[in-house]
Amino acid sequence: MISVLGGMVGGALSDGWGRKRIIAGSGLLCVPFLYGVLHTEGLLALVCLALGAGTLSGANSVVIAMAQELVPSRAGTASSLVMGLGWGVAGIVLMGFGSLAEVIGVPRTLDLTMTVPLLAFGLSLWLPHHGALPHARVARVGEFALHEE
């Protein structure tokens, strides 16, 4: 529920604020909330968890939309590559963090995982300020593209 709500809010805000800003903001703003989950207790930790999850997942739909805008002629391929790459990298990195937790302990490993969104923030600074071209018309499923000449 939180991730769906975060995705809806992120998607709505990205139209006005820009895709790059939402992606960068998500990577930066979720870190204090994630820190709060691990270093507070009770209701405050639960509120931090909800805000951190919502903030972090708010960029998911925006990343997919940006990939589709960057390659409008292959929007399905672009979105599936972004999603598949994200899940694949997450699965591989998860094994590394699990091994690290066995060596240094779970609390210290969770503290280190909070820095991963900061890496995403740094990488997002290289994203282009790109938007869909207003005159570009992309064919939908079952529809032929109209070429006006």
Side-chain angles (χ1 to χ4, degrees), residues 39-76:
H39 298 283
T40 61
E41 296 179 2
L43 184 60
L44 183 58
L46 187 61
V47 169
C48 286
L49 178 63
L51 291 173
T55 305
L56 191 57
S57 66
N60 289 344
S61 59
V62 179
V63 169
I64 294 168
M66 185 176 216
Q68 291 173 340
E69 288 174 354
L70 290 172
V71 191
S73 62
R74 300 283 185 240

Side-chain angles (χ1 to χ4, degrees), residues 63-85 138-141:
V63 169
I64 294 168
M66 185 176 216
Q68 291 173 340
E69 288 174 354
L70 290 172
V71 191
S73 62
R74 300 283 185 240
T77 302
S79 62
S80 63
L81 280 173
V82 169
M83 291 172 59
L85 185 64
V138 179
R140 295 186 183 131
V141 174

Side-chain angles (χ1 to χ4, degrees), residues 65-135:
M66 185 176 216
Q68 291 173 340
E69 288 174 354
L70 290 172
V71 191
S73 62
R74 300 283 185 240
T77 302
S79 62
S80 63
L81 280 173
V82 169
M83 291 172 59
L85 185 64
W87 283 100
V89 168
I92 292 170
V93 170
L94 182 62
M95 291 187 295
F97 277 117
S99 298
L100 186 63
E102 290 179 4
V103 174
I104 68 172
V106 173
R108 289 183 64 199
T109 302
L110 289 175
D111 281 336
L112 288 174
T113 61
M114 288 186 304
T115 63
V116 173
L118 294 176
L119 175 65
F121 168 74
L123 292 173
S124 72
L125 297 177
W126 287 337
L127 289 172
H129 290 284
H130 190 296
L133 299 174
H135 63 279

